[in-house]
Amino acid sequence: MKLFLAYLCVILTVSAQDASAIRINEVPIEVMTDDRYIKDGTQNVYLNGKDLYVTNRWGAVIKFNLFQVEKPELDQFLITNGTARYLDFYQDYIYVADEVNGLNIYKKLKDGFTFIKNLKLKGEATWLRINDNKLYVAVGRVGIQVFTLENPIEPKMTVSSEITGWIW
């Protein structure tokens, strides 16, 4: 249990101005095992193959390697500079709903994911889901926006629908 909670210490040791994707093994082991750094913040958990992804309200997506289920390894974290709520996968990309900054796009490379771009949205990105090549994003009080992913790094908005209330 402590291992799965220890990922937050990484966020506390790296400033928002640092690189968008930092390997977890660059963080001193003393920091990773110090109980003072284990805080709350988990938003959602995703399993993709042998990788576990955790979105965090302190501004990151944390990736765990589960090749040995009994001994999971912290692998990488992706700084979002906001509140990472939900994520979804499409081809070699991860799309992250960042409540503060909009939509973040990361591309899978052979040694991990790297930040590609941020797409500012009209409203707070609080939820997202991909179905076929359509990306659906809840944008708080604004409503819902639908993007086509024909070009995964250049999502094109096809629908913007205002809905009374708050969309989570």
Side-chain angles (χ1 to χ4, degrees):
M1 181 68 163
K2 183 175 179 178
L3 178 62
F4 282 103
L5 296 175
Y7 67 85
L8 185 59
C9 69
V10 175
I11 298 164
L12 298 174
T13 60
V14 179
S15 73
Q17 285 74 40
D18 287 332
S20 61
I22 297 174
R23 301 301 297 182
I24 201 78
N25 59 10
E26 294 175 8
V27 178
I29 193 67
E30 315 80 66
V31 173
M32 292 177 57
T33 57
D34 189 333
D35 284 337
R36 293 175 297 165
Y37 294 100
I38 300 174
K39 307 283 184 198
D40 65 337
T42 298
Q43 295 294 307
N44 291 285
V45 177
Y46 304 85
L47 188 60
N48 187 16
K50 292 280 188 175
D51 294 321
L52 178 74
Y53 297 82
V54 179
T55 58
N56 186 279
R57 73 175 175 200
W58 304 116
V61 174
I62 294 79
K63 180 180 173 228
F64 295 93
N65 174 322
L66 299 179
F67 284 114
Q68 294 180 1
V69 177
E70 65 282 350
K71 192 176 178 183
E73 294 180 14
L74 295 164
D75 187 32
Q76 184 181 19
F77 75 97
L78 309 168
I79 297 174
T80 62
N81 292 330
T83 298
R85 291 282 183 191
Y86 287 86
L87 64 82
D88 209 344
F89 305 89
Y90 182 74
Q91 296 176 359
D92 288 335
Y93 298 89
I94 294 178
Y95 296 82
V96 179
D98 181 331
E99 190 173 338
V100 176
N101 296 302
L103 180 67
N104 289 325
I105 304 170
Y106 301 86
K107 181 171 177 49
K108 184 174 185 169
L109 303 174
K110 67 179 174 180
D111 62 341
F113 285 90
T114 190
F115 177 78
I116 297 295
K117 75 183 300 181
N118 171 263
L119 183 62
K120 295 289 183 189
L121 302 176
K122 184 181 176 185
E124 300 88 359
T126 56
W127 173 89
L128 66 75
R129 188 63 58 222
I130 297 174
N131 187 15
D132 292 326
N133 73 335
K134 299 279 192 266
L135 169 63
Y136 301 85
V137 183
V139 283
R141 292 186 177 109
V142 175
I144 192 162
Q145 295 176 345
V146 181
F147 298 84
T148 160
L149 297 175
E150 291 170 8
N151 179 351
I153 60 173
E154 293 293 335
K156 292 191 180 175
M157 188 183 336
T158 57
V159 175
S160 181
S161 176
E162 291 188 21
I163 299 172
T164 304
W166 187 271
I167 305 290
W168 287 98

